[in-house]
Amino acid sequence: MANILILGAGVMGTALSVPAADNGHSVRLIGTPLDQQIIAALKRPGGVHPKLDDPLPANVEPIDIEELDARHVEEADAVIIGVSSPGIEWVFAQLDALIDDPRPLGFVTKGLVAGPAGVSTYAEAVPESLAAVPRDLFIGIGGPCIARELANRRPTASIYACRDRGRAEELSHLMQTGYYRLETTDDATGVEACAALKNFYAIGVSAMQTGYPDLVRPGAQTRNPTAAAFSQATREMALICGQFGGQPATAFDLAGVGDLHVTVGGGRNSRLGHGLGAGRRVSEIMGVELAGETVEGIDTARALSGWISRGIETGRLKAAELPLALAIVNAIVDDAPFDFDFGLMGRS
Amino acid sequence: MANILILGAGVMGTALSVPAADNGHSVRLIGTPLDQQIIAALKRPGGVHPKLDDPLPANVEPIDIEELDARHVEEADAVIIGVSSPGIEWVFAQLDALIDDPRPLGFVTKGLVAGPAGVSTYAEAVPESLAAVPRDLFIGIGGPCIARELANRRPTASIYACRDRGRAEELSHLMQTGYYRLETTDDATGVEACAALKNFYAIGVSAMQTGYPDLVRPGAQTRNPTAAAFSQATREMALICGQFGGQPATAFDLAGVGDLHVTVGGGRNSRLGHGLGAGRRVSEIMGVELAGETVEGIDTARALSGWISRGIETGRLKAAELPLALAIVNAIVDDAPFDFDFGLMGRS
């Protein structure tokens, strides 16, 4: 049995403790400074994560950030970074302080970073100072995975990606259960690109779920526009994935199609899309029903915006191949009405 | 402007008359012997198709099968076969009698035929006697397209496929409108395979929508299993598509991913899946809520059953690559409970 350290006690970090614990491993679940109430709740007898349904297995040890010491990290056979994107800077700082010897690092944080040299995924944007965490130990985790369902042991499949595929195999061996099925790939770039892109595209696809009401049946929605946009999103994800140096085919599997499917129709990115489809603007939606929430697709849109513009200017990208991305970027960056022109699909 | 003849006045044949008419073409909509009440309804002033919402444009002429004469066919620049699978034999007989000169044939009928030499799509199973209809005039139509939504001019995108891609281009030029966006491909085999397979896989994916209820919230469903199965279905469609001699990539676009998306969660194949997911058997569901209905995925399952078995026996296929297909086939052919084992996904 192994020791697994999970950094971040949000829903995803906490949910990942369940298959790890079900496999008999000792799991240490470390809260960030923002997770102190969660850790306190988990420490109570029979305590439950405020956003999950059931107590965690007995072999999951909740640990407050104040209690974290070097021994916890030294004893870990694998570390899983389970924070969402606002926590990523904190995690990088912790890693720098905590990790002396390189070890496998599972990574669920999804996002893109725009820098002077272009756009990169979080795993690729790890500060150079983190010499103890070489990128070929980063194992990106993609695929359809609503955390609460995983914590409830409902079945799904995910994909673990590492440049050194053997590392992904090792971690998947520790984590796979009957309900959490794991594949591996060496296309870390592709899986992490898709993990970020699917939040972004879920905004646009979900907008179709409210943007084209049935003309006859009150309250009903049409379904062709959503399906056509889903297909377009898949195609565009594959194109961007390839441009990032990943494999386009990664977008057609669990990390792309699978994760986009589960992200459309539920969650914060989708709710933003539903508001946009109803003709509202991002600023309004973010000021009302999503006030205070992190919508990761917004950050991805901002990171992609300049990259797409420069790509079109230099001929590396064609606007005609990314109509859905451009419509989403425009709505978010310019706080404009979402306007996807179906006339940009099909023959010109 | 062109003359377009549509054979079959069911919802799909009738819906296709709308973009054709909106482009200014003269459209003749020919009912089959089963469509006589529909044609009678459409002929009344302001008449509406019983399953659609609005009257057809004035340049659509409904024609009863009894009125059909050779002139209608001679004057047609293009013919669209708009019947569903039970009408396909009737259509082939009509074509034999009606068509002297070859002309482009759009084809929406979706299905597979099992024969001694293997499985083929309907377009490939055209009787040899139909010399006037060479296969390189068959234009398969795929992509997400609920007929009622098309008739209501709600946007979608479809793909027209012909071995001679120029023929697909010609027909798409006649049919494309602002709301009906058309792409073309020469992968006729792939598009027609996907058009049949998506009905089949929609049964299995839809079963996930009822098979894994939320354990805590009464009436709510989980979403990870559906997304994981959707991704698995996409992968298997690509594999089968390639085995049929089509391009696997066709499954990742409008004819595969797009059409599967719209077929899951609505329609008869999906309703069968919902029943299966709830633990019922095909015979029971077909005897109750789907009594008298044609569920095209059932015929596809029967056609695939022997082909998959023989493929596994001969080593051409691996059971481990088609777990979802095997689960669907088993439920349909053996009238057994639907049992997709998620343990067959992921590492073995």
Side-chain angles (χ1 to χ4, degrees):
Chain A
M1 296 301 102
N3 283 293
I4 297 178
L5 186 84
I6 299 176
L7 278 172
V11 286
M12 186 57 79
T14 305
L16 285 167
S17 73
V18 176
D22 283 352
N23 281 336
H25 306 306
S26 296
V27 183
R28 284 166 168 155
L29 179 66
I30 316 295
T32 72
L34 298 175
D35 297 333
Q36 291 188 303
Q37 292 186 334
I38 294 170
I39 296 294
L42 290 172
K43 283 180 178 237
R44 284 179 214 120
V48 175
H49 188 291
K51 293 188 175 173
L52 298 176
D53 297 322
D54 290 316
L56 295 174
N59 47 334
V60 178
E61 180 188 2
I63 296 177
D64 191 87
I65 184 65
E66 308 284 346
E67 304 166 312
L68 182 63
D69 67 38
R71 178 181 57 89
H72 295 131
V73 180
E74 279 161 25
E75 289 174 4
D77 298 293
V79 174
I80 294 176
I81 300 172
V83 300
S84 60
S85 56
I88 196 66
E89 296 296 330
W90 177 83
V91 158
F92 286 155
Q94 294 299 308
L95 289 176
D96 209 11
L98 289 169
I99 294 190
D100 285 328
D101 304 320
R103 67 199 64 213
L105 269 185
F107 197 70
V108 298
T109 318
K110 300 154 171 49
L112 299 178
V113 178
V119 175
S120 56
T121 64
Y122 279 139
E124 289 172 329
V126 175
E128 295 295 329
S129 62
L130 285 185
V133 194
R135 289 178 193 171
D136 59 4
L137 285 181
F138 266 78
I139 299 152
I141 299 180
C145 195
I146 296 172
R148 200 175 62 76
E149 297 184 14
L150 175 63
N152 288 344
R153 301 181 177 82
R154 301 310 256 167
T156 196
S158 289
I159 184 160
Y160 281 31
C162 186
R163 293 183 189 185
D164 176 354
R165 187 168 177 174
R167 293 297 192 165
E169 286 284 334
E170 285 166 26
L171 187 61
S172 76
H173 182 69
L174 297 176
M175 297 293 291
Q176 178 169 282
T177 65
Y179 56 85
Y180 184 50
R181 307 305 304 173
L182 299 178
E183 305 191 355
T184 63
T185 175
D186 60 7
D187 186 20
T189 299
V191 165
E192 291 180 32
C194 286
L197 291 169
K198 69 94 182 27
N199 285 325
F200 169 76
Y201 278 109
I203 296 171
V205 178
S206 298
M208 304 296 167
Q209 297 181 317
T210 55
Y212 295 95
D214 190 296
L215 295 174
V216 177
R217 289 151 188 76
Q221 295 294 327
T222 59
R223 299 193 294 123
N224 286 344
T226 301
F230 187 92
S231 184
Q232 180 67 27
T234 302
R235 189 191 298 187
E236 295 187 21
M237 280 199 297
L239 186 145
I240 297 175
C241 203
Q243 287 273 338
F244 280 10
Q247 297 166 19
T250 295
F252 300 132
D253 215 289
L254 289 165
V257 159
D259 202 356
L260 180 63
H261 194 281
V262 88
T263 308
V264 170
R268 291 165 293 191
N269 295 285
S270 178
R271 286 163 64 201
L272 177 61
H274 289 164
L276 288 173
R280 299 165 64 205
R281 300 193 188 212
V282 171
S283 57
E284 180 196 346
I285 304 160
M286 292 308 297
V288 184
E289 65 263 46
L290 289 171
E293 302 271 12
T294 298
V295 178
E296 295 185 328
I298 289 181
D299 299 322
T300 303
R302 295 194 201 284
L304 282 175
S305 172
W307 178 81
I308 293 178
S309 303
R310 282 191 301 277
I312 292 170
E313 281 164 24
T314 61
R316 180 172 42 79
L317 298 171
K318 293 180 189 144
E321 293 179 335
L322 294 168
L324 186 54
L326 286 166
I328 302 167
V329 163
N330 189 50
I332 290 172
V333 174
D334 297 342
D335 200 29
F338 176 74
D339 182 18
F340 175 67
D341 180 359
F342 274 89
L344 298 175
M345 294 184 72
R347 47 183 295 140
S348 56
Chain B
M1 296 303 102
N3 283 293
I4 296 177
L5 186 84
I6 299 177
L7 277 171
V11 287
M12 186 57 79
T14 305
L16 286 166
S17 74
V18 176
D22 283 352
N23 281 337
H25 306 306
S26 296
V27 182
R28 284 166 167 154
L29 179 66
I30 316 295
T32 72
L34 299 174
D35 296 334
Q36 291 188 303
Q37 292 186 335
I38 295 170
I39 296 294
L42 290 171
K43 283 181 178 236
R44 285 179 211 119
V48 175
H49 188 291
K51 292 188 175 173
L52 299 176
D53 297 322
D54 291 315
L56 295 173
N59 47 335
V60 177
E61 181 188 1
I63 296 177
D64 190 89
I65 184 66
E66 308 284 346
E67 304 166 314
L68 181 64
D69 68 36
R71 179 181 57 89
H72 295 132
V73 181
E74 279 161 24
E75 289 174 5
D77 298 294
V79 174
I80 294 176
I81 299 173
V83 299
S84 60
S85 57
I88 196 67
E89 296 296 331
W90 177 84
V91 158
F92 286 155
Q94 294 298 308
L95 289 176
D96 208 12
L98 288 169
I99 293 189
D100 284 330
D101 304 321
R103 70 199 62 215
L105 270 183
F107 198 71
V108 298
T109 318
K110 299 154 171 51
L112 300 179
V113 178
V119 175
S120 56
T121 63
Y122 279 139
E124 289 172 328
V126 175
E128 294 295 329
S129 62
L130 286 185
V133 193
R135 288 177 194 173
D136 60 4
L137 286 180
F138 267 79
I139 300 151
I141 300 180
C145 194
I146 296 171
R148 199 176 63 76
E149 296 184 15
L150 175 63
N152 288 345
R153 300 180 177 84
R154 301 310 256 167
T156 197
S158 289
I159 185 160
Y160 282 31
C162 186
R163 293 183 190 186
D164 176 354
R165 187 168 176 173
R167 294 296 192 165
E169 286 285 334
E170 285 166 27
L171 187 61
S172 76
H173 182 69
L174 297 176
M175 296 294 291
Q176 177 170 281
T177 66
Y179 55 85
Y180 185 51
R181 306 305 303 173
L182 299 178
E183 305 192 355
T184 63
T185 175
D186 61 7
D187 185 21
T189 299
V191 165
E192 291 179 33
C194 286
L197 290 169
K198 70 94 183 24
N199 285 324
F200 168 76
Y201 278 109
I203 295 171
V205 178
S206 298
M208 304 296 167
Q209 296 181 318
T210 55
Y212 294 94
D214 190 295
L215 295 174
V216 177
R217 289 150 189 77
Q221 295 295 326
T222 59
R223 299 193 294 121
N224 287 344
T226 302
F230 187 92
S231 184
Q232 180 67 26
T234 301
R235 187 190 298 187
E236 295 187 20
M237 280 200 297
L239 186 144
I240 297 176
C241 204
Q243 287 273 338
F244 281 11
Q247 296 165 18
T250 295
F252 301 133
D253 215 290
L254 289 165
V257 160
D259 202 355
L260 180 63
H261 194 281
V262 88
T263 308
V264 170
R268 290 165 293 191
N269 295 286
S270 179
R271 286 163 64 201
L272 176 61
H274 289 163
L276 288 173
R280 299 164 66 206
R281 300 194 188 213
V282 172
S283 57
E284 180 197 347
I285 304 161
M286 294 306 298
V288 184
E289 66 264 44
L290 288 172
E293 301 272 12
T294 298
V295 178
E296 294 185 329
I298 289 181
D299 299 323
T300 302
R302 298 213 158 96
L304 281 176
S305 172
W307 178 81
I308 293 178
S309 303
R310 282 190 301 277
I312 291 171
E313 281 164 23
T314 60
R316 180 173 41 79
L317 297 172
K318 293 180 189 142
E321 293 179 337
L322 293 168
L324 186 55
L326 286 166
I328 302 167
V329 163
N330 189 49
I332 290 172
V333 174
D334 297 341
D335 200 29
F338 176 75
D339 181 18
F340 175 67
D341 179 359
F342 273 89
L344 298 174
M345 293 185 73
R347 47 184 295 141
S348 55

